[in-house]
PDB file of all heavy atoms in Angstrom:
ATOM      1  N   THR F 341    -107.149-109.469  -1.815  1.00  0.00           N
ATOM      2  CA  THR F 341    -107.287-108.123  -1.254  1.00  0.00           C
ATOM      3  C   THR F 341    -106.232-107.260  -1.915  1.00  0.00           C
ATOM      4  O   THR F 341    -105.052-107.323  -1.545  1.00  0.00           O
ATOM      5  CB  THR F 341    -107.051-108.138   0.273  1.00  0.00           C
ATOM      6  OG1 THR F 341    -107.703-109.271   0.833  1.00  0.00           O
ATOM      7  CG2 THR F 341    -107.565-106.866   0.921  1.00  0.00           C
ATOM      8  N   GLY F 342    -106.644-106.475  -2.873  1.00  0.00           N
ATOM      9  CA  GLY F 342    -105.687-105.664  -3.619  1.00  0.00           C
ATOM     10  C   GLY F 342    -104.685-106.549  -4.321  1.00  0.00           C
ATOM     11  O   GLY F 342    -105.055-107.347  -5.186  1.00  0.00           O
ATOM     12  N   ASP F 343    -103.440-106.448  -3.887  1.00  0.00           N
ATOM     13  CA  ASP F 343    -102.363-107.185  -4.531  1.00  0.00           C
ATOM     14  C   ASP F 343    -102.290-108.633  -4.034  1.00  0.00           C
ATOM     15  O   ASP F 343    -101.884-109.534  -4.766  1.00  0.00           O
ATOM     16  CB  ASP F 343    -101.035-106.463  -4.248  1.00  0.00           C
ATOM     17  CG  ASP F 343    -100.010-106.712  -5.340  1.00  0.00           C
ATOM     18  OD1 ASP F 343    -100.400-107.290  -6.372  1.00  0.00           O
ATOM     19  OD2 ASP F 343     -98.846-106.331  -5.169  1.00  0.00           O
ATOM     20  N   ARG F 344    -102.679-108.808  -2.772  1.00  0.00           N
ATOM     21  CA  ARG F 344    -102.488-110.118  -2.143  1.00  0.00           C
ATOM     22  C   ARG F 344    -103.511-111.142  -2.571  1.00  0.00           C
ATOM     23  O   ARG F 344    -104.700-110.860  -2.606  1.00  0.00           O
ATOM     24  CB  ARG F 344    -102.544-109.969  -0.635  1.00  0.00           C
ATOM     25  CG  ARG F 344    -101.234-109.526  -0.050  1.00  0.00           C
ATOM     26  CD  ARG F 344    -101.454-108.847   1.252  1.00  0.00           C
ATOM     27  NE  ARG F 344    -101.625-109.808   2.340  1.00  0.00           N
ATOM     28  CZ  ARG F 344    -101.661-109.415   3.608  1.00  0.00           C
ATOM     29  NH1 ARG F 344    -101.582-108.135   3.913  1.00  0.00           N
ATOM     30  NH2 ARG F 344    -101.792-110.304   4.542  1.00  0.00           N
TER      31      ARG F 344
ATOM     32  P    DC Y 171     -83.024-103.382   8.680  1.00  0.00           P
ATOM     33  OP1  DC Y 171     -81.593-103.040   8.592  1.00  0.00           O
ATOM     34  OP2  DC Y 171     -83.609-104.335   7.704  1.00  0.00           O
ATOM     35  O5'  DC Y 171     -83.334-103.888  10.144  1.00  0.00           O
ATOM     36  C5'  DC Y 171     -83.580-102.916  11.188  1.00  0.00           C
ATOM     37  C4'  DC Y 171     -84.792-103.338  12.014  1.00  0.00           C
ATOM     38  O4'  DC Y 171     -85.989-102.735  11.457  1.00  0.00           O
ATOM     39  C3'  DC Y 171     -85.027-104.840  12.066  1.00  0.00           C
ATOM     40  O3'  DC Y 171     -85.032-105.234  13.423  1.00  0.00           O
ATOM     41  C2'  DC Y 171     -86.383-105.041  11.368  1.00  0.00           C
ATOM     42  C1'  DC Y 171     -87.054-103.665  11.496  1.00  0.00           C
ATOM     43  N1   DC Y 171     -88.003-103.283  10.394  1.00  0.00           N
ATOM     44  C2   DC Y 171     -89.216-102.650  10.727  1.00  0.00           C
ATOM     45  O2   DC Y 171     -89.485-102.434  11.907  1.00  0.00           O
ATOM     46  N3   DC Y 171     -90.059-102.285   9.710  1.00  0.00           N
ATOM     47  C4   DC Y 171     -89.727-102.533   8.440  1.00  0.00           C
ATOM     48  N4   DC Y 171     -90.586-102.158   7.493  1.00  0.00           N
ATOM     49  C5   DC Y 171     -88.505-103.173   8.099  1.00  0.00           C
ATOM     50  C6   DC Y 171     -87.682-103.541   9.090  1.00  0.00           C
ATOM     51  P    DG Y 172     -85.033-106.787  13.805  1.00  0.00           P
ATOM     52  OP1  DG Y 172     -84.144-106.946  14.978  1.00  0.00           O
ATOM     53  OP2  DG Y 172     -84.815-107.575  12.573  1.00  0.00           O
ATOM     54  O5'  DG Y 172     -86.535-107.037  14.288  1.00  0.00           O
ATOM     55  C5'  DG Y 172     -87.114-106.171  15.262  1.00  0.00           C
ATOM     56  C4'  DG Y 172     -88.628-106.208  15.171  1.00  0.00           C
ATOM     57  O4'  DG Y 172     -89.072-105.700  13.883  1.00  0.00           O
ATOM     58  C3'  DG Y 172     -89.241-107.611  15.303  1.00  0.00           C
ATOM     59  O3'  DG Y 172     -90.277-107.528  16.270  1.00  0.00           O
ATOM     60  C2'  DG Y 172     -89.788-107.895  13.901  1.00  0.00           C
ATOM     61  C1'  DG Y 172     -90.148-106.497  13.434  1.00  0.00           C
ATOM     62  N9   DG Y 172     -90.256-106.325  11.980  1.00  0.00           N
ATOM     63  C8   DG Y 172     -89.368-106.738  11.010  1.00  0.00           C
ATOM     64  N7   DG Y 172     -89.744-106.408   9.793  1.00  0.00           N
ATOM     65  C5   DG Y 172     -90.948-105.749   9.974  1.00  0.00           C
ATOM     66  C6   DG Y 172     -91.835-105.172   9.028  1.00  0.00           C
ATOM     67  O6   DG Y 172     -91.717-105.127   7.799  1.00  0.00           O
ATOM     68  N1   DG Y 172     -92.946-104.599   9.656  1.00  0.00           N
ATOM     69  C2   DG Y 172     -93.180-104.594  11.004  1.00  0.00           C
ATOM     70  N2   DG Y 172     -94.299-104.009  11.405  1.00  0.00           N
ATOM     71  N3   DG Y 172     -92.367-105.126  11.894  1.00  0.00           N
ATOM     72  C4   DG Y 172     -91.276-105.684  11.319  1.00  0.00           C
ATOM     73  P    DC Y 173     -90.824-108.861  16.943  1.00  0.00           P
ATOM     74  OP1  DC Y 173     -90.709-108.694  18.412  1.00  0.00           O
ATOM     75  OP2  DC Y 173     -90.211-110.010  16.253  1.00  0.00           O
ATOM     76  O5'  DC Y 173     -92.367-108.808  16.556  1.00  0.00           O
ATOM     77  C5'  DC Y 173     -93.123-107.620  16.843  1.00  0.00           C
ATOM     78  C4'  DC Y 173     -94.354-107.573  15.949  1.00  0.00           C
ATOM     79  O4'  DC Y 173     -93.966-107.298  14.582  1.00  0.00           O
ATOM     80  C3'  DC Y 173     -95.160-108.878  15.921  1.00  0.00           C
ATOM     81  O3'  DC Y 173     -96.458-108.612  16.431  1.00  0.00           O
ATOM     82  C2'  DC Y 173     -95.190-109.274  14.437  1.00  0.00           C
ATOM     83  C1'  DC Y 173     -94.868-107.972  13.729  1.00  0.00           C
ATOM     84  N1   DC Y 173     -94.198-108.136  12.404  1.00  0.00           N
ATOM     85  C2   DC Y 173     -94.810-107.603  11.263  1.00  0.00           C
ATOM     86  O2   DC Y 173     -95.899-107.021  11.374  1.00  0.00           O
ATOM     87  N3   DC Y 173     -94.191-107.742  10.050  1.00  0.00           N
ATOM     88  C4   DC Y 173     -93.020-108.371   9.969  1.00  0.00           C
ATOM     89  N4   DC Y 173     -92.445-108.468   8.756  1.00  0.00           N
ATOM     90  C5   DC Y 173     -92.374-108.921  11.123  1.00  0.00           C
ATOM     91  C6   DC Y 173     -92.991-108.788  12.314  1.00  0.00           C
ATOM     92  P    DT Y 174     -97.423-109.817  16.869  1.00  0.00           P
ATOM     93  OP1  DT Y 174     -98.117-109.417  18.103  1.00  0.00           O
ATOM     94  OP2  DT Y 174     -96.644-111.065  16.790  1.00  0.00           O
ATOM     95  O5'  DT Y 174     -98.513-109.846  15.692  1.00  0.00           O
ATOM     96  C5'  DT Y 174     -99.208-108.649  15.365  1.00  0.00           C
ATOM     97  C4'  DT Y 174     -99.758-108.763  13.951  1.00  0.00           C
ATOM     98  O4'  DT Y 174     -98.679-108.786  12.986  1.00  0.00           O
ATOM     99  C3'  DT Y 174    -100.576-110.041  13.695  1.00  0.00           C
ATOM    100  O3'  DT Y 174    -101.848-109.648  13.205  1.00  0.00           O
ATOM    101  C2'  DT Y 174     -99.756-110.784  12.654  1.00  0.00           C
ATOM    102  C1'  DT Y 174     -99.067-109.635  11.937  1.00  0.00           C
ATOM    103  N1   DT Y 174     -97.865-110.007  11.133  1.00  0.00           N
ATOM    104  C2   DT Y 174     -97.822-109.657   9.812  1.00  0.00           C
ATOM    105  O2   DT Y 174     -98.732-109.058   9.249  1.00  0.00           O
ATOM    106  N3   DT Y 174     -96.684-110.039   9.146  1.00  0.00           N
ATOM    107  C4   DT Y 174     -95.598-110.717   9.671  1.00  0.00           C
ATOM    108  O4   DT Y 174     -94.633-111.007   8.964  1.00  0.00           O
ATOM    109  C5   DT Y 174     -95.702-111.058  11.064  1.00  0.00           C
ATOM    110  C7   DT Y 174     -94.579-111.813  11.735  1.00  0.00           C
ATOM    111  C6   DT Y 174     -96.815-110.689  11.724  1.00  0.00           C
ATOM    112  P    DC Y 175    -102.907-110.662  12.681  1.00  0.00           P
ATOM    113  OP1  DC Y 175    -104.261-110.139  12.973  1.00  0.00           O
ATOM    114  OP2  DC Y 175    -102.514-112.008  13.147  1.00  0.00           O
ATOM    115  O5'  DC Y 175    -102.687-110.600  11.101  1.00  0.00           O
ATOM    116  C5'  DC Y 175    -103.098-109.429  10.393  1.00  0.00           C
ATOM    117  C4'  DC Y 175    -102.947-109.686   8.897  1.00  0.00           C
ATOM    118  O4'  DC Y 175    -101.574-110.025   8.630  1.00  0.00           O
ATOM    119  C3'  DC Y 175    -103.798-110.856   8.391  1.00  0.00           C
ATOM    120  O3'  DC Y 175    -104.429-110.480   7.177  1.00  0.00           O
ATOM    121  C2'  DC Y 175    -102.775-111.969   8.181  1.00  0.00           C
ATOM    122  C1'  DC Y 175    -101.513-111.180   7.818  1.00  0.00           C
ATOM    123  N1   DC Y 175    -100.249-111.890   8.131  1.00  0.00           N
ATOM    124  C2   DC Y 175     -99.330-112.113   7.110  1.00  0.00           C
ATOM    125  O2   DC Y 175     -99.592-111.715   5.961  1.00  0.00           O
ATOM    126  N3   DC Y 175     -98.167-112.756   7.402  1.00  0.00           N
ATOM    127  C4   DC Y 175     -97.918-113.157   8.649  1.00  0.00           C
ATOM    128  N4   DC Y 175     -96.753-113.780   8.897  1.00  0.00           N
ATOM    129  C5   DC Y 175     -98.852-112.931   9.712  1.00  0.00           C
ATOM    130  C6   DC Y 175     -99.998-112.298   9.404  1.00  0.00           C
TER     131       DC Y 175
ATOM    132  P    DG K 107     -90.392-115.513  -2.089  1.00  0.00           P
ATOM    133  OP1  DG K 107     -90.402-115.700  -3.559  1.00  0.00           O
ATOM    134  OP2  DG K 107     -89.142-115.242  -1.356  1.00  0.00           O
ATOM    135  O5'  DG K 107     -91.423-114.334  -1.743  1.00  0.00           O
ATOM    136  C5'  DG K 107     -92.723-114.399  -2.267  1.00  0.00           C
ATOM    137  C4'  DG K 107     -93.662-113.575  -1.420  1.00  0.00           C
ATOM    138  O4'  DG K 107     -93.785-114.136  -0.093  1.00  0.00           O
ATOM    139  C3'  DG K 107     -93.204-112.113  -1.188  1.00  0.00           C
ATOM    140  O3'  DG K 107     -94.239-111.269  -1.609  1.00  0.00           O
ATOM    141  C2'  DG K 107     -93.037-112.035   0.320  1.00  0.00           C
ATOM    142  C1'  DG K 107     -94.081-113.058   0.755  1.00  0.00           C
ATOM    143  N9   DG K 107     -94.005-113.414   2.170  1.00  0.00           N
ATOM    144  C8   DG K 107     -92.939-113.914   2.887  1.00  0.00           C
ATOM    145  N7   DG K 107     -93.206-114.097   4.151  1.00  0.00           N
ATOM    146  C5   DG K 107     -94.532-113.694   4.291  1.00  0.00           C
ATOM    147  C6   DG K 107     -95.365-113.648   5.430  1.00  0.00           C
ATOM    148  O6   DG K 107     -95.109-113.977   6.584  1.00  0.00           O
ATOM    149  N1   DG K 107     -96.635-113.173   5.113  1.00  0.00           N
ATOM    150  C2   DG K 107     -97.042-112.781   3.849  1.00  0.00           C
ATOM    151  N2   DG K 107     -98.297-112.331   3.730  1.00  0.00           N
ATOM    152  N3   DG K 107     -96.271-112.823   2.778  1.00  0.00           N
ATOM    153  C4   DG K 107     -95.035-113.275   3.067  1.00  0.00           C
ATOM    154  P    DA K 108     -93.959-109.841  -2.179  1.00  0.00           P
ATOM    155  OP1  DA K 108     -93.889-109.919  -3.652  1.00  0.00           O
ATOM    156  OP2  DA K 108     -92.851-109.220  -1.417  1.00  0.00           O
ATOM    157  O5'  DA K 108     -95.312-109.106  -1.769  1.00  0.00           O
ATOM    158  C5'  DA K 108     -96.551-109.773  -1.931  1.00  0.00           C
ATOM    159  C4'  DA K 108     -97.527-109.237  -0.900  1.00  0.00           C
ATOM    160  O4'  DA K 108     -97.243-109.839   0.388  1.00  0.00           O
ATOM    161  C3'  DA K 108     -97.437-107.724  -0.701  1.00  0.00           C
ATOM    162  O3'  DA K 108     -98.749-107.184  -0.797  1.00  0.00           O
ATOM    163  C2'  DA K 108     -96.854-107.546   0.698  1.00  0.00           C
ATOM    164  C1'  DA K 108     -97.205-108.851   1.394  1.00  0.00           C
ATOM    165  N9   DA K 108     -96.212-109.292   2.370  1.00  0.00           N
ATOM    166  C8   DA K 108     -94.924-109.688   2.114  1.00  0.00           C
ATOM    167  N7   DA K 108     -94.255-110.053   3.190  1.00  0.00           N
ATOM    168  C5   DA K 108     -95.176-109.895   4.221  1.00  0.00           C
ATOM    169  C6   DA K 108     -95.085-110.120   5.609  1.00  0.00           C
ATOM    170  N6   DA K 108     -93.988-110.572   6.217  1.00  0.00           N
ATOM    171  N1   DA K 108     -96.185-109.859   6.358  1.00  0.00           N
ATOM    172  C2   DA K 108     -97.280-109.409   5.743  1.00  0.00           C
ATOM    173  N3   DA K 108     -97.491-109.178   4.441  1.00  0.00           N
ATOM    174  C4   DA K 108     -96.379-109.433   3.735  1.00  0.00           C
ATOM    175  P    DG K 109     -98.982-105.616  -0.800  1.00  0.00           P
ATOM    176  OP1  DG K 109    -100.261-105.375  -1.503  1.00  0.00           O
ATOM    177  OP2  DG K 109     -97.733-104.947  -1.219  1.00  0.00           O
ATOM    178  O5'  DG K 109     -99.206-105.308   0.745  1.00  0.00           O
ATOM    179  C5'  DG K 109    -100.402-105.729   1.394  1.00  0.00           C
ATOM    180  C4'  DG K 109    -100.357-105.303   2.853  1.00  0.00           C
ATOM    181  O4'  DG K 109     -99.240-105.954   3.491  1.00  0.00           O
ATOM    182  C3'  DG K 109    -100.177-103.805   3.077  1.00  0.00           C
ATOM    183  O3'  DG K 109    -101.235-103.399   3.944  1.00  0.00           O
ATOM    184  C2'  DG K 109     -98.788-103.673   3.719  1.00  0.00           C
ATOM    185  C1'  DG K 109     -98.615-105.028   4.361  1.00  0.00           C
ATOM    186  N9   DG K 109     -97.251-105.512   4.508  1.00  0.00           N
ATOM    187  C8   DG K 109     -96.305-105.671   3.520  1.00  0.00           C
ATOM    188  N7   DG K 109     -95.159-106.154   3.954  1.00  0.00           N
ATOM    189  C5   DG K 109     -95.370-106.319   5.317  1.00  0.00           C
ATOM    190  C6   DG K 109     -94.493-106.801   6.323  1.00  0.00           C
ATOM    191  O6   DG K 109     -93.333-107.199   6.201  1.00  0.00           O
ATOM    192  N1   DG K 109     -95.115-106.799   7.568  1.00  0.00           N
ATOM    193  C2   DG K 109     -96.400-106.402   7.815  1.00  0.00           C
ATOM    194  N2   DG K 109     -96.815-106.475   9.086  1.00  0.00           N
ATOM    195  N3   DG K 109     -97.228-105.948   6.886  1.00  0.00           N
ATOM    196  C4   DG K 109     -96.643-105.933   5.666  1.00  0.00           C
ATOM    197  P    DC K 110    -101.458-101.877   4.325  1.00  0.00           P
ATOM    198  OP1  DC K 110    -102.922-101.651   4.379  1.00  0.00           O
ATOM    199  OP2  DC K 110    -100.580-101.017   3.492  1.00  0.00           O
ATOM    200  O5'  DC K 110    -100.893-101.856   5.827  1.00  0.00           O
ATOM    201  C5'  DC K 110    -101.324-102.833   6.763  1.00  0.00           C
ATOM    202  C4'  DC K 110    -100.592-102.614   8.085  1.00  0.00           C
ATOM    203  O4'  DC K 110     -99.256-103.181   8.013  1.00  0.00           O
ATOM    204  C3'  DC K 110    -100.403-101.141   8.464  1.00  0.00           C
ATOM    205  O3'  DC K 110    -100.678-101.000   9.851  1.00  0.00           O
ATOM    206  C2'  DC K 110     -98.937-100.883   8.143  1.00  0.00           C
ATOM    207  C1'  DC K 110     -98.323-102.230   8.480  1.00  0.00           C
ATOM    208  N1   DC K 110     -97.017-102.537   7.825  1.00  0.00           N
ATOM    209  C2   DC K 110     -95.981-103.105   8.582  1.00  0.00           C
ATOM    210  O2   DC K 110     -96.180-103.314   9.787  1.00  0.00           O
ATOM    211  N3   DC K 110     -94.804-103.395   7.979  1.00  0.00           N
ATOM    212  C4   DC K 110     -94.626-103.144   6.690  1.00  0.00           C
ATOM    213  N4   DC K 110     -93.460-103.463   6.131  1.00  0.00           N
ATOM    214  C5   DC K 110     -95.667-102.580   5.881  1.00  0.00           C
ATOM    215  C6   DC K 110     -96.832-102.285   6.487  1.00  0.00           C
TER     216       DC K 110
END
Side-chain angles (χ1 to χ4, degrees):
Chain F
T341 318
D343 207 9
R344 277 156 81 171

